[in-house]
Amino acid sequence: MSRARPAAAGAAAACVWAALEPLDIRLFRNDYSDVAMLGKLVTRSRAWPVAGIAVHTANGALFGLAVDALRRRTSVPPRHLALGLALAESFALFPLGALIDRVHPARGSAGVGQFFNARGLGQQTARHAVFGLVLGRLA
């Protein structure tokens, strides 16, 4: 079976996440964007949005491949697996937000506001849930 479909599903789910970021930034009143954080980590030029989308989409594709590999080894329904793993990743990586808040080279700039707080946790949980649901549906 081809790995193209789960990779494309993960990339598409990451793009949906990125498209919804402006909405959840307003909803949670927290100026934090994964696309901005990743893009501004790669470059501080005006090209950071392109870089951020590229890195975020590649991460989504890799996550899609990881979910597919686990799906092949378990009897958990793919939609449940994708959502569960996305939420597990969210909670596992959230503590790294404290590091981002302190050492990211663009900390304090637009989109790289405070991450490690209650609003950031809600924001990341919602983003990962959407990602997992979309991935599970497409994969």
Side-chain angles (χ1 to χ4, degrees), residues 11-100:
C15 288
V16 170
W17 165 328
L20 292 176
E21 279 190 350
L23 176 65
D24 78 45
I25 286 171
R26 287 192 299 274
L27 179 68
F28 286 94
R29 296 186 323 248
N30 192 44
D31 183 31
Y32 177 79
S33 161
D34 288 278
V35 172
M37 185 275 295
L38 293 168
K40 291 178 180 183
L41 189 61
V42 173
T43 181
R44 296 299 303 276
S45 76
R46 294 184 330 172
W48 71 259
V50 175
I53 290 288
V55 173
H56 193 60
T57 302
N59 286 345
L62 291 173
F63 194 88
L65 291 170
V67 169
D68 185 61
L70 287 173
R71 179 195 60 78
R72 295 169 187 273
R73 291 171 173 79
T74 182
S75 61
V76 177
R79 290 181 183 182
H80 295 162
L81 185 63
L83 177 59
L85 289 173
L87 290 173
E89 180 198 41
S90 177
F91 288 106
L93 295 180
F94 182 73
L96 291 176
L99 188 62
I100 292 168

Side-chain angles (χ1 to χ4, degrees), residues 72 112 128:
R72 295 169 187 273
V112 192
H128 279 85

Side-chain angles (χ1 to χ4, degrees), residues 1 18 64 102 123:
M1 177 183 236
R102 283 196 306 270
Q123 196 175 39

